[in-house]
Amino acid sequence: MAVKVEKLKVNYKTLEEFKKFKEYGVQELSMLEDLQANIIENDSESPFYGIYFGDTLIARMSLYQRESRFDQYFDPPQRYLELWKLEVLPKYQGKGYGKLLVEFAKGFGLPIKTNSRIKSQGFWEKMGFEPVTYDVERDLGENPMVWYPEGVKEQKIS
Amino acid sequence: MAVKVEKLKVNYKTLEEFKKFKEYGVQELSMLEDLQANIIENDSESPFYGIYFGDTLIARMSLYQRESRFDQYFDPPQRYLELWKLEVLPKYQGKGYGKLLVEFAKGFGLPIKTNSRIKSQGFWEKMGFEPVTYDVERDLGENPMVWYPEGVKEQKIS
């Protein structure tokens, strides 16, 4: 079956699918509350992208565009993407769906930053991501891994 | 045995003790490299506080002071503490050492922000922490929990 990455809308169906993911949390609960309180409409934009296999959401990630004035990672400073909650349901792991999502994110042509778990660092390295020089003031408890499009390099911390 | 919370110095002994903790990662490796390269001196200040039981470091946390101009959580905006890597070695859990560290952090009298795992939310609530209203632009993949000293409340997001 051909699969594709699609932007996920905020609706009750999507939020129900989200419950299958381990990293279901405050973000999803907040979307649900906003929907119930009519703060956002059904089928509003969400920061999530996902892959459906038939009717089932089997993989997802969150992507958010940061403006260049907030950029503390890339040289020259520029708009970049924050990527989080990349997750493939256990039954569908090891089939390249995670890679498909990351490749999709790279397709925007912007630098990408993610906060890697220590155990996931190998995956990110295979995806072409690199660790940055740790800086306590910027990174605190994070383990940032970044992907540089051509012509972009690490921002030196002063 | 009486235990107390102490500020941890960066030295080879401390960094060796750190290896016993699950959340050993980029931050610790960076401290080790800085020590080896003489970028920092032996016994330099670290953002870590810990509890020793005899010669063994059995619990630790990281605390970092944020300046008020970076405050996106508290009203009025002010200096606050970021708390991360709170961890008690398995053998010593359930004996109040985590609580002792959190109470120590509160002792500075500043608001505190931490990024809670979903599973840890109950612990933080018992410690008097509250979730904030989730905001995707500020919080991304985080589940922030905060502690308000008297006279401090949640900053409304515009």
Side-chain angles (χ1 to χ4, degrees):
Chain A
M1 194 189 304
V3 295
K4 66 174 175 47
V5 175
E6 51 191 286
K7 192 162 173 65
L8 304 179
K9 303 279 185 189
V10 184
N11 55 44
Y12 290 103
K13 167 89 171 71
T14 307
L15 290 168
E16 197 55 38
E17 294 286 325
F18 280 178
K19 288 186 186 162
K20 295 177 192 160
F21 290 81
K22 239 182 354 194
E23 288 200 53
Y24 184 89
V26 177
Q27 187 181 0
E28 290 81 353
L29 289 170
S30 159
M31 287 161 71
L32 184 60
E33 282 170 14
D34 288 353
L35 195 57
Q36 287 169 334
N38 295 311
I39 292 168
I40 57 170
E41 282 176 29
N42 200 31
D43 290 336
S44 288
E45 295 278 299
S46 89
F48 283 98
Y49 292 81
I51 297 172
Y52 273 93
F53 190 82
D55 260 358
T56 308
L57 184 69
I58 61 167
R60 66 168 196 176
M61 71 177 163
S62 241
L63 267 189
Y64 195 85
Q65 196 173 293
R66 287 287 199 191
E67 294 308 314
S68 51
R69 67 180 182 281
F70 296 122
D71 180 7
Q72 297 186 283
Y73 296 95
F74 304 101
D75 179 19
Q78 58 198 281
R79 274 191 304 153
Y80 69 98
L81 294 173
E82 281 264 0
L83 191 166
W84 73 100
K85 291 200 178 175
L86 175 69
E87 188 175 342
V88 180
L89 293 183
K91 234 180 97 178
Y92 300 91
Q93 287 172 10
K95 296 179 168 66
Y97 295 122
K99 184 178 176 184
L100 194 62
L101 284 169
V102 177
E103 294 297 342
F104 181 88
K106 286 182 184 173
F108 289 98
L110 297 173
I112 305 172
K113 181 230 148 188
T114 193
N115 175 22
S116 167
R117 288 200 208 78
I118 293 296
K119 283 192 294 185
S120 315
Q121 193 158 333
F123 168 81
W124 290 109
E125 279 166 359
K126 264 187 271 175
M127 296 297 111
F129 282 61
E130 301 170 32
V132 296
T133 309
Y134 179 81
D135 176 69
V136 66
E137 185 156 336
R138 180 191 63 189
D139 301 322
L140 301 169
E142 290 204 353
N143 300 322
M145 301 279 291
V146 298
W147 177 73
Y148 305 103
E150 218 174 297
V152 181
K153 55 188 197 341
E154 182 174 356
Q155 190 177 127
K156 292 287 167 242
I157 303 156
S158 50
Chain B
M1 196 189 303
V3 296
K4 66 173 173 50
V5 176
E6 51 191 284
K7 193 163 173 65
L8 304 179
K9 303 280 186 188
V10 184
N11 55 45
Y12 290 102
K13 167 90 171 67
T14 306
L15 289 169
E16 197 55 39
E17 295 285 326
F18 280 177
K19 287 186 186 161
K20 295 177 192 159
F21 290 81
K22 238 181 359 192
E23 289 200 54
Y24 184 88
V26 177
Q27 184 182 3
E28 290 82 353
L29 288 170
S30 158
M31 286 160 71
L32 184 60
E33 281 169 15
D34 288 353
L35 194 59
Q36 286 169 336
N38 295 311
I39 292 168
I40 55 171
E41 283 178 29
N42 201 31
D43 291 334
S44 289
E45 294 280 298
S46 89
F48 283 96
Y49 292 82
I51 297 172
Y52 274 93
F53 191 83
D55 259 359
T56 309
L57 183 69
I58 62 166
R60 66 168 196 177
M61 70 177 165
S62 241
L63 267 190
Y64 195 83
Q65 194 172 297
R66 287 287 198 191
E67 294 309 314
S68 51
R69 67 179 182 280
F70 296 122
D71 180 7
Q72 298 187 282
Y73 295 95
F74 303 101
D75 178 20
Q78 57 199 283
R79 276 192 302 153
Y80 70 98
L81 294 173
E82 282 264 358
L83 191 165
W84 74 100
K85 291 201 179 175
L86 176 69
E87 189 175 342
V88 180
L89 293 183
K91 233 180 96 179
Y92 300 90
Q93 286 172 12
K95 296 180 167 65
Y97 295 122
K99 183 178 178 185
L100 194 64
L101 284 168
V102 177
E103 294 296 342
F104 181 87
K106 288 182 184 174
F108 289 98
L110 297 173
I112 306 173
K113 183 229 146 189
T114 193
N115 175 22
S116 167
R117 286 198 208 80
I118 293 295
K119 284 191 295 186
S120 314
Q121 193 158 332
F123 169 79
W124 290 109
E125 280 167 358
K126 264 186 272 175
M127 295 297 112
F129 283 62
E130 301 170 31
V132 296
T133 309
Y134 178 81
D135 176 71
V136 65
E137 185 158 333
R138 179 191 63 190
D139 300 323
L140 301 169
E142 290 203 352
N143 300 321
M145 300 279 290
V146 298
W147 178 74
Y148 305 103
E150 218 172 298
V152 180
K153 56 187 194 344
E154 182 173 357
Q155 190 177 127
K156 291 289 164 242
I157 303 157
S158 50

